Amino acid sequence: MPKAKQKQRRRKYNYNINRKKLNKAARKKAAPRIKCPQIRHAWDRSKTVAQNLAEMGLAVDPNKAVPIPKVMRMEVDGQETKTKIVRKPYVINELEYEASLPEKKSETLSRDLIDYIQHMIRSHGENYKAMARDEKNYYQDTPKQIKRKINVYKRFYPEEYKTFVDSLQQEKMDQL
């Protein structure tokens, strides 16, 4: 079977390729960007991953960091366990501080969904079956789905829901 001509041909040097850019891209790919700013700041490119993490007081392998003992061993007073020297303790301190901060709430509903829920409550009150038959129910939600959406709205925006219900009460009082 004949070979392809391309395979037999000798590779020629391509003058159109920027070698400096190519090497930089290869180096970047070999050492990916570290997302954690504390670790990235303390990282030393001349050292290995294990050496860098050991200096920071972090573990490369969690199984070796906290081993599960197969047999219970009694510590003898004469023997001392190895202690690792942490040269960059500020990394652990910063990570612990960041982990202790409270998480931001990102629970929100779209403005369209809020308007939909308010329309349903304004039109039908607590009658979920009537809400399911409403012409604004474009997605043909069942009564249970509508009830679930209203409960989510109550949970995410309790103050807004309370003021909305109070305004409905005022409107009803004004009509009488």
Side-chain angles (χ1 to χ4, degrees):
M1 196 166 164
K3 291 183 179 177
K5 276 190 175 183
Q6 191 100 13
K7 292 282 184 187
Q8 288 179 330
R9 224 185 278 151
R10 192 172 63 92
R11 291 267 176 215
K12 294 180 183 175
Y13 185 80
N14 190 351
Y15 291 94
N16 296 328
I17 294 177
N18 185 349
R19 298 286 165 193
K20 189 175 182 181
K21 196 175 185 182
L22 202 69
N23 287 335
K24 198 173 186 181
R27 216 175 305 116
K28 206 173 202 179
K29 191 176 183 183
R33 190 171 193 285
I34 301 167
K35 291 181 181 175
C36 180
Q38 293 87 359
I39 294 174
R40 186 181 343 116
H41 177 70
W43 198 263
D44 186 4
R45 288 192 177 271
S46 64
K47 295 181 180 175
T48 65
V49 174
Q51 289 170 339
N52 270 311
L53 292 177
E55 278 188 353
M56 293 178 213
L58 302 172
V60 178
D61 186 8
N63 295 324
K64 290 180 182 174
V66 185
I68 300 171
K70 292 182 181 175
V71 180
M72 294 293 283
R73 295 182 195 165
M74 298 280 285
E75 286 191 30
V76 183
D77 294 333
Q79 295 178 348
E80 291 184 21
T81 58
K82 271 202 252 181
T83 57
K84 293 182 180 177
I85 299 169
V86 179
R87 292 197 174 105
K88 300 176 183 175
Y90 60 90
V91 176
I92 293 178
N93 296 337
E94 289 174 6
L95 289 172
E96 285 176 348
Y97 173 73
E98 191 176 312
S100 69
L101 292 175
E103 192 175 326
K104 293 180 183 175
K105 284 190 176 181
S106 61
E107 300 168 332
T108 58
L109 295 176
S110 68
R111 192 71 238 165
D112 294 335
L113 186 61
I114 291 171
D115 293 339
Y116 167 75
I117 290 168
Q118 287 180 351
H119 166 76
M120 292 298 186
I121 294 172
R122 192 179 298 115
S123 302
H124 307 287
E126 293 288 318
N127 189 354
Y128 299 111
K129 288 184 180 179
M131 289 181 194
R133 291 189 301 270
D134 193 292
E135 62 184 21
K136 277 229 176 176
N137 185 6
Y138 300 124
Y139 298 110
Q140 297 182 350
D141 292 331
T142 63
K144 275 192 175 182
Q145 288 172 325
I146 294 171
K147 185 176 183 179
R148 205 173 303 127
K149 286 180 181 179
I150 291 172
N151 288 336
V152 167
Y153 174 64
K154 287 178 185 177
R155 194 168 9 118
F156 287 176
Y157 304 100
E159 298 88 17
E160 188 178 327
Y161 175 76
K162 189 173 183 179
T163 56
F164 174 68
V165 171
D166 291 341
S167 69
L168 286 178
Q169 293 291 334
Q170 285 296 327
E171 286 177 17
K172 285 183 181 177
M173 294 296 274
D174 293 339
Q175 288 176 356
L176 294 176

